[in-house]
Amino acid sequence: QFPRQCVTPEGLRSGTCCPSPTGRTNDECGSSTGRGRCVTVTADERPHGPQYPHSGRDDRERWPLRFFNRTCQCNENFSGHHCGRCKHGLTGPSCNQKVNVVRRNILQMSSEEQKAFINALDQAKRTVHPDLVICTRRYEEIFGADGNSPQFENITIYNFFVWTHYYSVGKTYMGPGQDGFGGVDFSHEGPGFVTWHRFHLLQLERDMQDMLGDPTFALPYWYFAIGGSECDICTDNLFGARSNFGNGRTISANSVFSQWRVICDHLEEYEKLGTICNSTEGGTLRRHAGGNVDRPMVQKLPEPQDIIDCLDLDTFDTPPYYSTSTRSFRNTIEGYSAPQGDYDPVVRSLHNLAHLFLNGTGGQTHLSPNDPIFVLLHTFTDAIFDEWLQRHSPGTVGYPEANAPIGHNRHFNMVPFWPPITNAEMFVAAPEGLGYNYEVDWPTRPYTLSEILTIAIVVVVLVVIVVGGVIACVVRAYSSVEGLEPLLGDHYRRYSEEERLVEQSKSVV
Ligand SMILES: O=C1C=c2cc(C(=O)O)[nH]c2=CC1=O
């Protein structure tokens, strides 16, 4: 969430987080080399929806002003918390060399490429994040018991990815012994669902590029719309086959992921004590894909037709911009509506269905990124969002400015990302604006009955025209030979006369 350099007692008290990429004085945000400058943070002031009726209770309101009010703003091709990085898809000392970051179907990658990706994930699970640290207490307790020990911790790159998701979905602390308020979710059940997860993935991809020293590294996707009850990426060379131990809900010992341990699994403690998930790892991953016997609806993956249907919806989101929205592309891809767009409280489709299908760690919102399948499930969800943006070109008008649930208005800074970034900044087609793109074979719509009938009629008409034309030509050619008779008359008659004489002589003989 915040750069290590900024979470000192002085840094927090000043509210300024504008480090230098070189560590030199008078170089905040790389200003001495024209990379960026330190500016005042602006937070969204438009009204949000009625789902969150409180004010001033939650550190995430008007993010990130509870913690910092000054940040780096980077010029042109530069990015990062101190403007020392290049924007996605650019490299070189001046960040002006383009690189291709192409997200592909993991099943279409070679076995060497698959292996390299699994190893990179495992490395990210063990490598401490070079720049960012996480808070483990609410702001009220952030300076620690002695008032001078900021409550922040190091965390690994992959666990940071898990923690940011947890922090965005947690309940609002309402005081000692009281239940947390659950009507908030800064990354789901609103238009920000697609923009928030888009940045979440970009951040992991960027962190892994830096870890590997490879600016072309791209996260692959899981083409989950295959129907049926088989998880095609749950094999030991990819995300782990099912093990018969632990009621069949554990991962095979032949997979590296059987060694992974989860974070953020103590919801009750966080809620009752007002603490926050930290970097401590606990139990193993749990998964039994398609095996939820109590809920038949989530035993099967989405169908290809579901993708075709949701891409046909032409409105990005509809009031109340929530999980009850109907005819909303966002609520449909998120999976609270039927794939054709109609809201139905019992339905789970597309993204939600893929989560629930995993039936374990990957199906519980506060924990789900602990299962690495989360990454590929979300790159595919993001690919669908990107395809929708390209097909419908909503421009700047498609995303709601106000009255969305808290965290989801167009200009809200997404929680808990740093430096601040709004939902609007992620509402652009990836190839033009974000420095990566997808390679996907999109399913095509089968013909409807009326289209089949129209095609059949056209074919019949064409056949009639062609056959009729051929017949007409033959008749015409034949009659034109007869029509030439008068011109050929002499020859024709002489020949006929000779033949007649031959025939006559034959009959005489
Ligand atoms: O991790 C998630 C798990 C989810 C479960 C549902 C549901 O519809 O019940 N939705 C989810 C979203 C997630 O992100």
Side-chain angles (χ1 to χ4, degrees):
Q1 113 186 340
F2 298 122
R4 200 172 281 109
Q5 300 105 301
C6 294
V7 298
T8 59
E10 309 73 52
L12 286 163
R13 288 195 179 103
S14 73
T16 294
C17 179
C18 290
S20 155
T22 55
R24 290 200 301 260
T25 47
N26 296 327
D27 184 38
E28 51 180 25
C29 311
S31 55
S32 67
T33 48
R35 287 185 162 248
R37 63 199 178 100
C38 191
V39 298
T40 301
V41 174
T42 51
D44 177 46
E45 301 291 348
R46 307 288 301 265
H48 58 70
Q51 298 83 3
Y52 179 70
H54 307 291
S55 177
R57 279 211 167 262
D58 195 309
D59 291 344
R60 298 167 296 183
E61 294 171 29
R62 303 182 73 230
W63 183 261
L65 295 186
R66 188 66 56 88
F67 295 87
F68 293 103
N69 56 25
R70 285 179 66 74
T71 182
C72 287
Q73 189 176 74
C74 308
N75 296 329
E76 292 139 36
N77 301 343
F78 305 107
S79 75
H81 66 276
H82 50 27
C83 303
R85 264 198 116 259
C86 297
K87 275 197 176 142
H88 227 69
L90 294 174
T91 191
S94 307
C95 296
N96 54 5
Q97 294 163 30
K98 275 197 174 178
V99 283
N100 267 345
V101 179
V102 184
R103 296 181 178 174
R104 294 158 58 209
N105 183 335
I106 193 160
L107 294 180
Q108 287 170 2
M109 286 165 40
S110 70
S111 52
E112 287 75 29
E113 289 170 329
Q114 292 175 344
K115 206 166 167 185
F117 174 66
I118 300 297
N119 287 343
L121 275 181
D122 197 41
Q123 190 182 339
K125 180 78 175 172
R126 291 178 281 106
T127 305
V128 171
H129 200 293
D131 309 317
L132 303 178
V133 289
I134 53 162
C135 66
T136 58
R137 288 288 185 278
R138 289 169 296 112
Y139 192 79
E140 206 182 330
E141 301 176 350
I142 206 76
F143 287 97
D146 64 1
N148 213 29
S149 309
Q151 301 292 294
F152 288 86
E153 267 186 12
N154 280 326
I155 190 160
T156 70
I157 290 170
Y158 194 86
N159 284 347
F160 178 67
F161 179 72
V162 179
W163 185 92
T164 49
H165 193 261
Y166 150 83
Y167 191 81
S168 73
V169 301
K171 292 183 179 176
T172 302
Y173 180 62
M174 298 300 287
Q178 294 192 52
D179 287 340
F181 176 76
V184 284
D185 189 326
F186 288 80
S187 54
H188 301 82
E189 300 185 56
F193 163 71
V194 278
T195 46
W196 191 95
H197 285 87
R198 167 165 274 198
F199 189 75
H200 191 218
L201 294 168
L202 263 178
Q203 184 173 261
L204 178 68
E205 193 166 68
R206 178 197 67 196
D207 289 344
M208 292 182 72
Q209 287 173 352
D210 290 352
M211 177 189 80
L212 298 166
D214 175 6
T216 68
F217 170 82
L219 298 170
Y221 63 84
W222 173 33
Y223 190 100
F224 60 63
I226 50 172
S229 56
E230 289 302 312
C231 170
D232 54 356
I233 57 167
C234 299
T235 55
D236 281 340
N237 55 341
L238 291 175
F239 293 92
R242 187 158 75 91
S243 159
N244 287 327
F245 290 104
N247 296 332
R249 293 179 127 248
T250 55
I251 291 176
S252 151
N254 298 326
S255 161
V256 65
F257 299 114
S258 63
Q259 303 302 311
W260 279 34
R261 297 282 182 276
V262 306
I263 64 163
C264 304
D265 199 10
H266 299 286
L267 267 196
E268 269 194 25
E269 182 189 312
Y270 313 140
E271 272 178 38
K272 293 279 180 250
L273 302 179
T275 55
I276 292 175
C277 159
N278 58 38
S279 59
T280 311
E281 294 188 333
T284 53
L285 296 178
R286 299 181 74 71
R287 191 196 301 145
H288 181 183
N292 189 340
V293 287
D294 300 326
R295 219 170 153 186
M297 181 186 270
V298 302
Q299 288 171 3
K300 287 210 167 78
L301 283 167
E303 299 284 340
Q305 183 64 41
D306 300 346
I307 308 268
I308 295 167
D309 289 340
C310 85
L311 282 172
D312 274 350
L313 290 162
D314 30 49
T315 308
F316 172 66
D317 213 341
T318 56
Y321 310 118
Y322 191 44
S323 49
T324 51
S325 291
T326 201
R327 308 298 302 163
S328 145
F329 165 74
R330 188 275 313 158
N331 206 35
T332 306
I333 181 62
E334 186 167 0
Y336 290 107
S337 294
Q340 301 74 22
D342 301 306
Y343 169 66
D344 179 342
V346 299
V347 159
R348 286 295 183 272
S349 67
L350 291 154
H351 151 268
N352 279 342
L353 177 54
H355 269 292
L356 296 172
F357 173 84
L358 295 176
N359 187 28
T361 309
Q364 296 165 270
T365 313
H366 66 289
L367 285 180
S368 51
N370 278 293
D371 186 333
I373 289 182
F374 177 102
V375 176
L376 285 83
L377 186 164
H378 271 280
T379 39
F380 188 53
T381 306
D382 185 59
I384 300 171
F385 171 42
D386 206 58
E387 183 66 13
W388 185 89
L389 284 172
Q390 291 184 47
R391 288 192 194 179
H392 296 266
S393 306
T396 52
V397 293
Y399 195 104
E401 296 272 335
N403 302 319
I406 188 166
H408 293 259
N409 281 352
R410 182 172 170 78
H411 299 292
F412 200 97
N413 296 311
M414 295 183 281
V415 175
F417 301 127
W418 185 268
I421 178 149
T422 62
N423 287 300
E425 290 170 83
M426 289 291 112
F427 195 67
V428 289
E432 293 106 65
L434 301 179
Y436 67 89
N437 61 293
Y438 288 98
E439 232 174 58
V440 187
D441 292 328
W442 293 106
T444 47
R445 196 164 58 84
Y447 292 116
T448 61
L449 190 60
S450 70
E451 283 168 340
I452 292 171
L453 280 176
T454 310
I455 291 169
I457 290 168
V458 169
V459 169
V460 167
V461 169
L462 283 176
V463 166
V464 167
I465 290 171
V466 170
V467 171
V470 169
I471 291 171
C473 284
V474 169
V475 168
R476 210 153 170 214
Y478 181 74
S479 58
S480 61
V481 166
E482 291 199 328
L484 288 174
E485 214 175 289
L487 294 174
L488 298 170
D490 266 5
H491 171 75
Y492 179 78
R493 268 196 298 277
R494 211 177 302 132
Y495 179 76
S496 302
E497 186 73 359
E498 280 165 8
E499 272 202 331
R500 200 173 49 78
L501 288 173
V502 169
E503 290 303 312
Q504 214 174 27
S505 62
K506 273 187 196 164
S507 65
V508 170
V509 172

